[in-house]
Amino acid sequence: MNTNIKIFKKNQTIIHLNYGIGRYQGIHLIKNKNQEMEFIIIMYAKKTKLYVPITSLYLINIYPESINSKIILHTLGNDIWNTEKKKSFKKIYQIASQLLNVYSKRNFQIGFSFKKNSFHYKKFCQDFPYKETSDQKKVMQEVLLDMSKKKAMDRLICGDVGFGKTEIAMRAAFIALDNMKQVAILVPTTLLAQQHFYNFKKRFSKYTYKIKILTRFTKKKDVNCIIDQLKTKKINILIGTHKILSQKIIWKNLGLLIIDEEHRFGVSHKEIIKKIYINIDILTLTATPIPRTLQFSKLGLRDLSILKNPPKNRVPIKTFILKYDIFLIRKIILKAIKKQEQIYYLYNSVKKITKKAKKLKKIIPEARINIGHGQMSGKNLKKIIHDFILYKFDILICTTIIDTGIDISNVNTIIIENADKFGISQLHQLRGRVGRSYKQAYAWFFIKSKTKITKNAKKRLQALKSSKKIGEGLLLSTKDAEIRGVGEILGKNQSGHIQSFGLNLYKKLLYKAIKNLKNDNIFNLNFFHTVEIDFSISAIFPKNYIKNIDIRLFYYYKISKITTLKKLKKIKNNIINLYGVLPIFAKNLFFLEKIRILSSLLNIKKIYSRVKKSYIIFLKNSNLNTIWLSTEILKKPKKWKITKEKIYFYRNFKKDEDRIFWYYQWLKKLYISQKK
């Protein structure tokens, strides 16, 4: 166990679901008679303090500082936070309803059930020149299963550049073609369209399928020809940019839409896709999904497949963040040229790119330099890229046109000026343009000044530098969501509600609302209800059991977030393996957590328990097994009392351990009775 682990730092901003935003002050042990309990101290406005028992830590989340640099702490004792929370809860329910509505439309659409001809498919797979990774095999099985269903597929495949997403897309395309269907491949740039066109033509060269490309560089007469041939199914695969979303394009028998790098398409394009392709199988490929796309997958609204493992012999790209230094840049470039390798030099300003090229030629006369950017004619840009592939020059000074669509194994160095101006996803994509072979590759991120860049830019660059393993695109996307925070899940109009709770808590609330709507389909403000458990017993990890305060807090926090008895048992066994047999107070803690989990499942609002008297308050929408409950009461009617709001139980327990164990067993029986 790492003894430096910290859940919260002193003065860190946190949010308590019942009391709002405050600052963490530390952990404190309170002894009262024979009871010992540890509390988290949160400071609110006017320096008032709230003591939160460690059994209620599930109500606390970190409130990201990036949301707002001027965080206003809530005031204990007034109703502002509760009013704000109720409004936000209603809005979250509306959003959950909207999301379910959008995605249920696709779920209820009858798609095409593709059949796999095993002989044809195996023959196509045998032409793949590389050995498949275990991830590729697994993901392809998931895609094949989706395509075989009548429900229209909507699967997101997440994997870093060079991890084999394109081959999966090609195999899915083959299945569609073998079922006499057409395939559309939507890409964000003309370069990527060209790259896919070349790769698909090569991969399908043994077959008679007709493959065409449609971009802004396609001549008008060829566009009209493509439109006519699509109607008559003379074209089997069409690869193109947003041009293929035109209303003029009518498909004869479209069966599969493949979207590459979805994050590069705007909201308007995605709305068109939803309308046109509502009952078509959709396969989306991405290295770094945008937070919105990622959250839809996490919320269970899209199917997600992940390619975690790289192909053999791939080496992680070494990443450096440095202050701009032209002489260091000269040294980097000369070192690459000496190894007969090429360089991308990214300078994202079309107006000044020629001036930059002249400066580099002057500083590095030994290098052969050329320029490429998106405002060039298609013919010129195509020739420059072609010449670069043939190694006719050493350095391509370019804009972000290279972030998708260029795959040149001899380029092992990328230099990016003003790297702080880019987002994590784009920088990760750009970095992925190098290191496409077994050789060591380098990404050099240059900034004007380490002191003058924004706080969030520092976080983005540090996240990229610290991602040393291959295949961390998904992790970086998650960090991107944390850094960018507001408005990324559902658009800017929802940012106020995300800001109320912070991104982490907002996601949990939205997930709960969606789950509740799926199950009950009714509006209920208690969809994220909290359970108040008051047993007045010692329930802690004693200092002589786990000495380090940060480790104790780590386990308290982790345990409080657990929602199933199975997971609770697993962490309990881990602690026993590390620290030995649980002392009595630690056993009490785990029993309280079991009671909390069961109470949440049973829609219990509060449990109050003392040696002689106890009561339970259920939520109004609780679906109790009244037959079982009546039977229990009739066994010993004098020990029970039922009012409109509470169920009282009278019994004299000799030991706290007996009391807590009895409650756990009773709640467990009640839960089992409801499951029958």
Side-chain angles (χ1 to χ4, degrees):
M1 171 60 63
N2 180 4
T3 55
N4 291 321
I5 192 162
K6 282 184 182 287
I7 295 296
F8 306 121
K9 295 175 184 176
K10 185 76 181 286
N11 288 321
Q12 184 170 21
T13 312
I14 55 179
I15 181 166
H16 191 297
L17 189 63
N18 294 338
Y19 300 99
I21 300 166
R23 292 195 183 277
Y24 171 72
Q25 297 299 297
I27 187 167
H28 185 65
L29 177 69
I30 293 178
K31 294 182 181 181
N32 183 19
K33 295 181 181 179
N34 295 323
Q35 184 190 356
E36 291 185 21
M37 181 62 79
E38 288 196 285
F39 291 80
I40 294 295
I41 305 169
I42 306 175
M43 187 176 72
Y44 284 87
K46 300 176 184 177
K47 295 188 177 181
T48 53
K49 291 180 180 178
L50 177 73
Y51 286 76
V52 182
I54 47 93
T55 49
S56 295
L57 290 189
Y58 70 98
L59 298 171
I60 296 171
N61 284 271
I62 292 170
Y63 187 86
E65 296 279 359
S66 60
I67 286 177
N68 190 339
S69 57
K70 293 181 180 178
I71 292 171
I72 299 171
L73 303 184
H74 284 100
T75 303
L76 292 177
N78 67 23
D79 213 35
I80 293 173
W81 168 245
N82 282 329
T83 304
E84 188 179 339
K85 187 171 70 171
K86 283 178 183 177
K87 283 181 182 177
S88 293
F89 271 21
K90 286 179 181 177
K91 190 64 184 177
I92 286 169
Y93 239 87
Q94 288 173 17
I95 294 162
S97 180
Q98 288 167 16
L99 286 173
L100 281 175
N101 184 44
V102 169
Y103 282 88
S104 64
K105 280 181 181 177
R106 273 193 60 79
N107 281 333
F108 287 117
Q109 286 296 322
I110 301 299
F112 181 80
S113 180
F114 290 92
K115 304 289 184 290
K116 185 182 83 170
N117 183 310
S118 297
F119 177 75
H120 291 171
Y121 180 70
K122 189 176 180 182
K123 201 173 178 183
F124 180 77
C125 293
Q126 284 172 347
D127 291 333
F128 183 51
Y130 307 101
K131 184 174 174 61
E132 303 129 307
T133 65
S134 57
D135 281 351
Q136 274 182 304
K137 290 177 183 177
K138 179 178 173 289
V139 171
M140 196 59 226
Q141 286 303 314
E142 291 168 347
V143 172
L144 288 171
L145 182 62
D146 282 354
M147 292 181 76
S148 69
K149 294 175 183 176
K150 286 184 178 180
K151 187 184 84 170
M153 173 174 71
D154 188 5
R155 183 166 291 276
L156 171 70
I157 298 178
C158 181
D160 263 9
V161 178
F163 273 41
K165 299 188 296 292
T166 304
E167 174 61 20
I168 291 168
M170 287 176 173
R171 293 185 186 189
F174 178 81
I175 293 290
L177 297 172
D178 205 41
N179 280 262
M180 310 299 288
K181 292 284 186 178
Q182 292 170 295
V183 178
I185 301 171
L186 177 64
V187 298
T189 66
T190 53
L191 277 177
L192 185 54
Q194 196 65 47
Q195 181 97 27
H196 277 322
F197 180 63
Y198 170 78
N199 288 335
F200 270 76
K201 289 275 281 187
K202 187 179 177 181
R203 187 75 172 84
F204 285 84
S205 59
K206 290 184 180 180
Y207 301 87
T208 57
Y209 298 124
K210 195 165 186 178
I211 303 170
K212 286 288 183 180
I213 184 171
L214 179 62
T215 70
R216 64 190 173 96
F217 297 134
T218 307
K219 292 177 182 176
K220 193 173 182 180
K221 64 173 186 176
D222 293 331
V223 172
N224 294 331
C225 183
I226 286 168
I227 290 169
D228 291 339
Q229 289 181 337
L230 281 173
K231 288 177 186 175
T232 55
K233 209 191 164 190
K234 287 179 182 176
I235 292 175
N236 304 103
I237 299 177
L238 180 63
I239 301 166
T241 55
H242 62 276
K243 290 274 183 185
I244 70 173
L245 300 176
S246 168
Q247 290 181 344
K248 294 178 182 178
I249 290 180
I250 300 167
W251 299 81
K252 173 73 175 175
N253 196 13
L254 182 64
L256 175 66
L257 169 66
I258 297 167
I259 305 172
D260 202 358
E261 301 304 340
E262 183 194 38
H263 69 277
R264 293 288 301 274
F265 293 99
V267 174
S268 58
H269 291 142
K270 288 171 187 174
E271 291 303 317
I272 294 168
I273 292 166
K274 284 176 193 172
K275 287 175 185 175
I276 299 176
Y277 305 106
I278 189 114
N279 64 338
I280 301 300
D281 278 22
I282 298 177
L283 190 63
T284 304
L285 317 175
T286 184
T288 48
I290 58 172
R292 178 188 175 102
T293 301
L294 192 59
Q295 295 316 318
F296 282 172
S297 298
K298 285 184 177 179
L299 293 168
L301 300 175
R302 293 183 75 175
D303 295 311
L304 175 67
S305 294
I306 300 172
L307 294 165
K308 293 179 184 175
N309 302 313
K312 281 188 176 181
N313 302 320
R314 283 288 296 277
V315 184
I317 300 160
K318 287 187 178 179
T319 304
F320 304 90
I321 302 164
L322 297 162
K323 186 181 176 183
Y324 180 80
D325 183 340
I326 191 65
F327 296 106
L328 176 59
I329 289 169
R330 170 182 160 79
K331 191 177 176 181
I332 292 164
I333 289 170
L334 289 177
K335 187 178 178 181
I337 291 172
K338 192 177 180 181
K339 290 190 286 183
Q340 294 188 316
E341 293 175 358
Q342 292 162 282
I343 304 104
Y344 292 124
Y345 192 107
L346 197 137
Y347 187 77
N348 203 31
S349 171
V350 174
K351 287 181 180 179
K352 298 176 182 178
I353 200 166
T354 305
K355 191 177 178 182
K356 175 59 67 175
K358 286 177 181 177
K359 185 178 180 181
L360 285 176
K361 281 176 184 177
K362 189 176 179 181
I363 298 292
I364 319 163
E366 303 93 326
R368 297 170 297 168
I369 298 173
N370 214 330
I371 295 170
H373 58 77
Q375 290 183 22
M376 287 179 161
S377 69
K379 188 178 178 181
N380 287 345
L381 185 58
K382 194 174 176 180
K383 186 181 183 306
I384 286 165
I385 299 300
H386 184 68
D387 287 348
F388 195 46
I389 292 167
L390 295 176
Y391 199 8
K392 289 187 178 181
F393 57 95
D394 306 297
I395 307 170
L396 176 64
I397 303 178
C398 55
T399 56
T400 52
I401 56 159
I402 65 159
D403 71 349
T404 54
I406 296 184
D407 182 2
I408 306 171
S409 59
N410 195 47
V411 185
N412 282 308
T413 300
I414 184 166
I415 296 167
I416 301 176
E417 272 200 47
N418 301 316
D420 54 299
K421 305 297 181 188
F422 299 91
I424 286 181
S425 295
Q426 195 166 28
L427 283 173
H428 185 63
Q429 286 277 44
L430 290 164
R431 181 172 61 177
R433 292 302 109 205
V434 297
R436 305 304 295 269
S437 68
Y438 62 90
K439 294 179 181 179
Q440 180 63 63
Y442 303 88
W444 298 86
F445 297 154
F446 284 100
I447 56 179
K448 286 180 180 177
S449 169
K450 286 189 177 182
T451 56
K452 291 181 182 178
I453 64 171
T454 65
K455 187 179 178 181
N456 282 351
K458 281 181 185 176
K459 286 182 181 178
R460 290 196 298 270
L461 292 168
Q462 194 54 48
L464 281 156
K465 189 180 178 182
S466 61
S467 64
K468 294 177 182 177
K469 294 179 184 177
I470 295 174
E472 292 195 335
L474 188 63
L475 177 65
L476 287 170
S477 291
T478 304
K479 286 186 179 179
D480 197 15
E482 290 169 2
I483 293 166
R484 287 156 70 180
V486 180
E488 288 295 346
I489 298 179
L490 300 154
K492 290 181 180 177
N493 61 321
Q494 312 304 344
S495 64
H497 302 286
I498 299 175
Q499 188 166 315
S500 294
F501 296 108
L503 187 62
N504 292 332
L505 181 54
Y506 182 89
K507 286 188 290 186
K508 289 175 188 175
L509 293 170
L510 184 58
Y511 175 79
K512 270 278 190 182
I514 287 171
K515 190 177 178 182
N516 195 66
L517 277 171
K518 278 181 178 178
N519 294 337
D520 303 326
N521 202 27
I522 55 168
F523 174 72
N524 173 19
L525 267 180
N526 289 318
F527 72 91
F528 197 86
H529 82 276
T530 60
V531 184
E532 187 182 342
I533 297 171
D534 184 356
F535 271 74
S536 187
I537 64 170
S538 298
I540 59 169
F541 292 121
K543 289 181 183 179
N544 59 2
Y545 184 65
I546 299 178
K547 293 178 182 178
N548 188 288
I549 192 169
D550 291 320
I551 295 177
R552 291 206 305 278
L553 181 56
F554 169 80
Y555 279 123
Y556 289 147
Y557 192 70
K558 197 170 182 181
I559 289 166
S560 77
K561 298 287 181 180
I562 290 172
T563 55
T564 67
L565 294 175
K566 189 177 179 180
K567 287 179 181 177
L568 187 66
K569 187 178 180 181
K570 188 177 179 181
I571 195 171
K572 177 184 169 184
N573 290 336
N574 288 340
I575 291 170
I576 291 169
N577 289 336
L578 283 169
Y579 298 99
V581 179
L582 292 173
I584 193 68
F585 290 177
K587 285 181 181 178
N588 290 348
L589 175 66
F590 276 101
F591 271 116
L592 277 184
E593 293 299 338
K594 286 178 183 179
I595 288 168
R596 174 185 59 81
I597 291 166
L598 287 169
S599 298
S600 182
L601 294 169
L602 290 162
N603 280 342
I604 289 171
K605 186 177 181 181
K606 182 178 179 178
I607 296 179
Y608 173 89
S609 174
R610 294 296 184 267
V611 176
K612 294 182 180 180
K613 179 183 175 183
S614 304
Y615 65 78
I616 300 174
I617 302 174
F618 288 91
L619 292 170
K620 289 180 182 178
N621 64 330
S622 299
N623 297 315
L624 288 174
N625 186 335
T626 52
I627 296 171
W628 184 90
L629 197 56
S630 300
T631 306
E632 278 290 294
I633 292 169
L634 287 170
K635 285 178 184 177
K636 295 179 180 179
K638 290 182 180 180
K639 290 189 177 290
W640 298 87
K641 179 185 174 185
I642 300 174
T643 67
K644 190 177 180 181
E645 293 183 344
K646 301 174 185 177
I647 296 177
Y648 287 90
F649 176 72
Y650 301 93
R651 182 173 175 175
N652 195 357
F653 292 97
K654 291 180 180 179
K655 294 180 183 178
D656 285 336
E657 299 85 70
D658 296 338
R659 178 161 54 101
I660 198 169
F661 181 73
W662 182 89
Y663 250 104
Y664 163 64
Q665 291 288 355
W666 190 83
L667 290 170
K668 192 176 178 182
K669 288 175 188 175
L670 177 58
Y671 179 67
I672 291 168
S673 76
Q674 288 190 195
K675 297 288 282 182
K676 288 179 181 178

